[in-house]
Amino acid sequence: MAHPKEERTYVMIKPDGVRKGLTGEVIRRFEQRDLKIVALEMFQPTRQQISDHYPKDEAWIRRLGQKSITTYQTYHVDPKEKLGTDDELEIGKMVREWLVDYMISAPLVRMIVQGIHAVDVVRKIAGPTLPYKAEVGTIRGDFSIDSPLLANTEKRAVANILHASETPEEAAHEIEHWFGKSAQIHSYKRYGVDE
Ligand code: ADP
C-alpha cells in the first residue's frame, strides 16, 4: 500500500444494523471520511463461525463477565438475583452465548475497509461499544440507545449495529477468518483521495 499508515480493517454489520436498514448508512459514513470499501458481502454466518470469531480464552470471557458485573453494581442490581450467579467467569460464558445467539439471528454484512489509519478511524466513526454511552455523531450514538443493563435484564447481548477490529493485528486475523487466505480485495483509486 502506498502510504505507511494506509491500513485495512474488518467491519461487520450486525443483525440489528441490517434489520434497522442501516447498511447503506454505515457504508456512507466510511466513504464520506475518504475510506474505501475494498470487499463487501451479505451472508448468513454459522454458530461455529461466530464462536470462532470471538476470543475463547478465559481472560476475555472473564472481562466480558466483569463488565456486566460492573454495570449491575453501578445500578445497584444484584447479579445473583438476575442471573443466578455473581461469578465473573460464569456470567462471561453466559454473555458469550447471548452474543453468538444475537450474531446468528439475521444475515450480516462483512466488509474490508481501507484507508489512512483505517483501524482507528473506523472505530471512531462507530463509537464506543455501549450505545447509550456513545457520542452523538457516531454510528452507535446516532442509531441506538442499548445498554448492558437493559440487554442483560432481557438475557441478551448488547446490540450495537456493527463490529470493527480493534488493532491492525486483529484486523489481519479477522480478514483471514471471514474472507479466507485468498480474499478477493479490490483495488481502485478514489477521486480526490488517491490522485
Ligand atoms: P467491541 O465489539 O466494541 O470490540 P467487546 O469486544 O468488548 O466490544 O464485546 C464484544 C461484543 O459483546 C460487543 O460488541 C457487544 O455486542 C457485546 N457486549 C459487550 N459487553 C457486553 C455486556 N456487558 N453485556 C452484553 N453484551 C455485551
Side-chain angles (χ1 to χ4, degrees):
M1 274 171 275
H3 190 277
K5 265 332 258 183
E6 174 100 356
E7 295 176 333
R8 285 182 188 139
T9 190
Y10 178 73
V11 172
M12 195 149 57
I13 304 180
K14 296 183 173 185
D16 55 316
V18 170
R19 294 180 59 200
K20 280 177 162 173
L22 291 174
T23 301
E25 178 67 25
V26 169
I27 293 172
R28 189 189 68 73
R29 288 180 179 220
F30 295 150
E31 291 193 322
Q32 170 180 283
R33 197 74 191 271
D34 285 346
L35 292 163
K36 255 192 294 200
I37 310 300
V38 293
L40 177 69
E41 187 189 8
M42 178 176 273
F43 70 107
Q44 176 63 53
T46 64
R47 177 167 279 275
Q48 189 62 49
Q49 277 176 315
I50 293 295
S51 184
D52 290 345
H53 166 79
Y54 288 109
K56 289 188 166 113
D57 58 286
E58 199 177 300
W60 191 84
I61 298 173
R62 279 188 188 279
R63 184 186 64 100
L64 210 52
Q66 188 49 55
K67 282 204 289 192
S68 289
I69 291 171
T70 305
T71 304
Y72 280 134
Q73 283 167 346
T74 306
Y75 295 99
H76 309 290
V77 176
D78 180 7
K80 222 170 183 165
E81 201 178 290
K82 292 277 178 198
L83 304 174
T85 176
D86 54 9
D87 180 79
E88 62 180 19
L89 184 59
E90 285 308 306
I91 295 177
K93 283 181 185 166
M94 235 182 263
V95 176
R96 198 179 189 284
E97 274 306 296
W98 297 339
L99 192 51
V100 177
D101 291 342
Y102 155 54
M103 290 296 284
I104 61 168
S105 65
L108 309 176
V109 176
R110 58 186 160 202
M111 67 185 95
I112 302 172
V113 182
Q114 184 176 311
I116 304 298
H117 294 280
V119 173
D120 285 349
V121 175
V122 162
R123 294 275 297 189
K124 210 172 235 218
I125 294 169
T129 305
L130 306 177
Y132 84 111
K133 284 195 172 166
E135 288 293 331
V136 168
T138 64
I139 295 170
R140 286 163 171 166
D142 284 350
F143 296 104
S144 176
I145 196 162
D146 204 18
S147 80
L149 185 63
L150 175 65
N152 294 3
T153 301
E154 295 178 351
K155 297 201 187 313
R156 61 170 178 82
V158 170
N160 54 8
I161 304 167
L162 74 165
H163 163 82
S165 311
E166 214 172 334
T167 63
E169 295 70 34
E170 196 178 281
H173 176 78
E174 292 180 348
I175 287 170
E176 190 177 319
H177 178 64
W178 289 108
F179 282 91
K181 270 195 183 10
S182 47
Q184 238 222 326
I185 299 175
H186 296 274
S187 175
Y188 60 98
K189 286 188 171 158
R190 279 283 303 264
Y191 284 124
V193 179
D194 296 320
E195 55 187 22

